[in-house]
Amino acid sequence: MSENGEVALFVDFENIRYGLKNNYGREPDPTMLMAKARKYGPVALALAYADFNEHPDFFRRKLEVAGITPRDVARRSPDVVNKSSSDMAMLIDIIDCLLDRPSVMTLILMTGDSDFIRAVARARHRFGKKVIISGVTGSVSNDLIAASDGAD
C-alpha cells in the first residue's frame, strides 16, 4: 500500500461514454481510465456501471482487461431511454467502500453527474477521503467539482 493509501475507481460508464461521443466523437478507452486512477496510487477497487446491453459487447472485455469490473445495471423501465439505475448502484458501492475499506484513501469518480454532490461531500468531510472528479470536459457539473478535492 502506498503512503497515501489505496484508490477506488467508480466509473459512470454511460455518462463518460455519451459525454465523449457527443462532445468529441470518440469512444472511451478503459486502459486510459485505469491509467488515470493509477496516478493516485494502487487501485484496490475499480467498477464501471451501465446497462451493458445498451453498449457494444467489446466494452465488457476491454473493461475487464483494464482491471475494471463491469457492473451491469438494467434500465429502470422500457419507457425511459438511456437511463438505468446505475447511479444508485454506484452510490451504494461508494458507501460500502467508505464503510468497509479503510485503506482506500482516494476515491476517483468518473462522472459529471451532479447527483453525486452529497456523496462526494460526505466522503470528504465525514470520512476524511480525498475525492477526485474525472469527467468529460464540457459535461461535468461545476458544483460536483466544487464539492470535491479537485478535477482531473
Side-chain angles (χ1 to χ4, degrees):
M1 183 170 63
S2 88
E3 64 185 54
N4 295 322
E6 295 174 329
V7 173
L9 171 64
F10 300 94
V11 182
D12 181 348
F13 189 77
E14 292 168 341
N15 184 280
I16 296 299
R17 180 170 186 238
Y18 294 130
L20 283 170
K21 281 182 72 165
N22 295 337
N23 293 326
Y24 300 100
R26 64 187 193 92
E27 295 284 3
D29 177 355
T31 58
M32 299 294 289
L33 303 179
M34 182 57 91
K36 185 169 284 226
R38 290 186 65 216
K39 291 188 327 185
Y40 294 92
V43 179
L45 178 67
L47 301 167
Y49 303 82
D51 181 346
F52 284 101
N53 293 322
E54 303 292 321
H55 302 279
D57 287 338
F58 65 84
F59 276 119
R60 280 185 209 258
R61 287 187 312 279
K62 286 187 171 197
L63 286 163
E64 288 172 351
V65 166
I68 302 170
T69 302
R71 289 284 312 263
D72 198 10
V73 183
R75 284 190 320 175
R76 287 188 198 149
S77 67
D79 59 328
V80 180
V81 179
N82 292 332
K83 187 63 177 169
S84 72
S85 298
S86 60
D87 288 355
M88 184 60 68
M90 186 167 146
L91 175 62
I92 294 301
D93 286 345
I94 290 168
I95 291 168
D96 284 346
C97 178
L98 292 171
L99 294 172
D100 299 338
R101 293 179 176 255
S103 62
V104 169
M105 297 306 295
T106 303
L107 305 179
I108 311 291
L109 275 61
M110 291 190 174
T111 187
D113 194 334
S114 63
D115 290 344
F116 291 102
I117 290 171
R118 290 184 63 207
V120 167
R122 184 72 48 94
R124 290 182 65 225
H125 302 303
R126 182 169 180 193
F127 291 92
K129 306 299 183 181
K130 180 176 182 178
V131 181
I132 303 296
I133 303 301
S134 184
V136 178
T137 303
S139 62
V140 180
S141 161
N142 288 330
D143 289 338
L144 181 63
I145 292 170
S148 74
D149 289 293
D152 181 353

